[in-house]
Amino acid sequence: MKKLRLLLLLSAIIITTTLCAKSFDDMVSKAVKLYNEGKYQEAAELAEEAFQVGDPSMDHYYNTACCWALAGNKEKTLSQAIDAGWLDAEWMQADRDLTILHGDARFEELVVKVQKTLDKLEQGLPIKHNSLAIIELPEPAYDSDTSIEKALKERRSIRKYKDKPLSLSEISQILWAAYGITKPIKDAPAFLRGGLKTAPSAGALYPLEIYVVAGNVTDLPAGVYKYKPEGHKLIKIADGDKRTELYKASLNQDWVKEAPASIIYSAVFSRTTDIYGKRGQERYVCMDLGHSAENVYLQAVSLNIGTVAIGAFYDTKVKVVVNMTKEEEPLYIMPIGKI
Ligand SMILES: Cc1cc2nc3c(=O)[nH]c(=O)nc-3n(C[C@H](O)[C@H](O)[C@H](O)COP(=O)(O)O)c2cc1C
């Protein structure tokens, strides 16, 4: 079981209000407690009882399979979790709760099944994006009343937002802080994409791509947009409000669904690894990401906007929701909303 999953399971339980769901949640909550006490058999039995009165998710099924495995039962498999949409083959193989199943032929078959589903989803991803619309972003502000010291002092991960729209100017400002061009270079080589940016980048190779999943932004119809630092604009790549899908892809973290918009970071690793190899893979790309994401955190303080860097999600599901190209890997989701 993943610690974050446990946390999310508990917070979902606290929030749920319907009577039937409450008894289901009470039982699941008790099962989680039993799991934490090492009473795996009891935990699994109680969870299965709960499934008779509620609506279990793939995480419920997965965690119950973990309990069975820890209780020494090899007969209970992960098939229910997989049928309910579980898609993390890597974690199944790494999860120490499932050690007893690793190497078992039935388990390995399930890993192959999940991997096949993942491969199919990946195959459906585009090689290039079609532009549905181009949105010129408002000119960002280059000054404010918030000192850098104040922004550093007040920066926090914030997971509760007002139910109010963001403005296009606020989106523009956040994107500029993330990866906006601060030193345009005339006739710059393609990899510079217009010039040097707000965030440093190993070799100025800029492996990051930034998307906006917009649901409630004034003057920006709901949809998925890709940020183009050159020209400071957005390219619309998908229609419709994708926040609920993104929330499901990010382990049901409520703040993803509730924020008016999220920015999503991906990286084309080869831009950096073609030059720097293993060092680029293991260090530079994520260092680049950290620089840019911290800019977002600090800019958010000055705009009275809350955000949180989210690293826990299903990679392939996020790629599908955002309609990322095949060559990209998703790295962070940062919901943004007024506080
Ligand atoms: C790599 C990384 C991954 C994170 N993933 C999540 C996440 O999935 N969900 C979440 O709510 N917060 C996530 N956080 C935010 C941390 O929980 C948060 O930074 C930490 O609790 C410290 O709080 P602060 O940012 O307010 O100082 C992540 C932070 C980092 C740096």
Side-chain angles (χ1 to χ4, degrees), residues 4 155-157 159 253 255 297 308-312 332:
L4 181 77
R155 184 213 62 81
R156 269 292 65 79
S157 290
R159 301 176 180 84
Q253 301 195 52
W255 30 105
Y297 263 113
V308 51
I310 292 182
Y332 258 161

Side-chain angles (χ1 to χ4, degrees), residues 213 241-249 252 256-257 321:
V213 165
D241 189 346
K242 306 280 185 193
R243 287 177 296 171
T244 303
E245 286 173 59
L246 191 62
Y247 147 83
K248 287 183 187 162
N252 297 353
V256 175
K257 187 173 54 179
V321 173

